Amino acid sequence: MASPTGTTDAPFGRMLTAMVTPFTADGAVDYAAVRRLAGYLVDEQRNDGLIVSGTTGESPTTSDVEKERILSAVLEAVGDRATVVAGAGSNDTHHSVELARAAARAGAHGLLVVTPYYSKPPQEGLYQHFTAVADATGLPVMLYDIPGRAGVPITTETMIRLAQHERIVAVKDAKGDLFAGGQMMTVTDLAFYSGDDLLNLPWLSMGAAGFVSVVGHVVGAHLARMIELYRNGDVSQALAVHRQLAPVVEGIMMSAGGAIMVKAALAMVGVPVGPVRLPLVAATERQIAELRTCLVAGGVKLTDT
């Protein structure tokens, strides 16, 4: 299936946010809020792609039925004007294949497949896992290399092997090895996406296609502008945006991190998405105060003050 905003060098678009999953106060998925959030991210935060049911979407705590309904809600809201990529990874290859097939049936434009976590498989296991998922549907696949969570990296040699698969077209890199990523961009056709907001601009300088961001929930429009500035050759202004957003990245990514702080930040900008699910817990009052300071320092307009 063609991606609405993809190009040959950026098959899933350029500015993507790994979307949180809104919940009601009692912990149920809030599908109306899912649709509202998707629209907000595309219309106001200038995302041309969205990742659903990834790490920030609390995918380990949502059921397969919920995942499919979340994906359908996002496609209903923005599927004709943004690339919608479904998280289909787990530490169980059979389950990942089933998630991929369900996403394809629901109409996803692509798949995000994370390195199997906890099991710490050998590289041959990673190769066979990713290949099995890529073989399961006709959708393009973005690998998600995040050894800090998965326990093992995708090595350069394994990445080169996987790049030969016609449907494995991109990598979300949260390994932070710019040199290795640069090598991969030289010897393969894989599109690299920054999966670490701390390194967005450095990844652009290495030839990355774009971002899969967490802070894009509240500064996506700024990140989209950074990409445009850099691609148009205005490196100094891209650097200025990068520096402006540093406090936002610090506030969201360097405290409780991920879904906890993003949900707190969204409440501050007037886009409430409810609580997190256990084992995650709400940000503390101190964390919220520090986050507020960081958002203001980064120029984010708050509506709850």
Side-chain angles (χ1 to χ4, degrees):
M1 177 178 294
S3 301
T5 60
T7 61
T8 301
D9 63 334
F12 299 104
R14 297 197 183 278
M15 178 57 218
L16 295 87
T17 288
M19 199 176 123
V20 299
T21 297
F23 297 125
T24 61
D26 62 359
V29 176
D30 187 338
Y31 296 102
V34 168
R35 288 187 286 272
R36 288 194 299 271
L37 178 61
Y40 161 80
L41 290 173
V42 171
D43 297 333
E44 298 188 38
Q45 293 297 343
R46 295 187 57 198
N47 284 268
D48 58 0
L50 297 175
I51 306 284
V52 299
S53 294
T55 305
T56 312
E58 299 178 71
S59 60
T61 64
T62 56
S63 70
D64 292 0
V65 172
E66 287 174 327
K67 287 179 174 64
E68 190 166 349
R69 288 190 63 189
I70 291 164
L71 173 60
S72 295
V74 173
L75 286 164
E76 177 185 332
V78 300
D80 59 344
R81 49 202 174 91
T83 303
V84 180
V85 182
S90 76
N91 60 351
D92 173 356
T93 302
H94 176 76
H95 187 204
S96 297
V97 166
E98 291 305 310
L99 288 172
R101 290 172 175 162
R105 289 193 298 269
H109 304 133
L111 302 172
L112 177 73
V113 186
V114 70
T115 307
Y117 40 84
Y118 184 75
S119 302
K120 299 181 73 171
Q123 292 298 308
E124 180 61 27
L126 296 186
Y127 174 78
Q128 293 191 29
H129 173 87
F130 288 124
T131 299
V133 180
D135 284 343
T137 79
L139 295 177
V141 171
M142 178 189 294
L143 306 177
Y144 184 9
D145 190 8
I146 182 164
R149 288 184 182 271
V152 293
I154 308 173
T155 65
T156 298
E157 294 77 13
T158 302
M159 199 78 78
I160 291 172
R161 291 178 68 195
L162 290 166
Q164 306 309 307
H165 197 291
E166 63 178 346
R167 285 187 291 280
I168 296 176
V169 298
V171 179
K172 175 187 175 184
D173 188 283
K175 183 163 55 182
D177 189 337
L178 294 166
F179 181 76
Q183 286 182 308
M184 289 300 94
M185 287 181 245
T186 300
V187 301
T188 75
D189 293 327
L190 293 172
F192 268 68
Y193 288 81
S194 172
D196 185 346
D197 281 307
L198 299 169
L199 297 176
N200 283 339
L201 185 57
W203 269 119
L204 281 184
S205 74
M206 296 298 295
F211 309 150
V212 176
S213 176
V214 175
V215 302
H217 283 89
V218 294
V219 292
H222 294 281
L223 292 174
R225 181 169 178 265
M226 183 200 297
I227 294 170
E228 291 172 352
L229 288 166
Y230 189 88
R231 287 177 55 80
N232 290 333
D234 196 342
V235 177
S236 63
Q237 284 303 304
L239 176 59
V241 175
H242 174 77
R243 288 174 172 168
Q244 174 192 342
L245 299 183
V248 180
V249 175
E250 179 181 2
I252 290 178
M253 301 305 299
M254 298 179 71
S255 178
I260 293 172
M261 300 309 289
V262 168
K263 287 189 168 182
L266 283 167
M268 293 180 191
V269 300
V271 187
V273 291
V276 291
R277 277 182 176 173
L278 286 170
L280 300 184
V281 294
T284 66
E285 290 185 6
R286 178 176 178 179
Q287 288 169 335
I288 289 174
E290 292 173 348
L291 174 63
R292 186 184 305 279
T293 299
C294 289
L295 294 179
V296 170
V300 176
K301 183 179 180 181
L302 308 185
T303 62
D304 69 340
T305 56

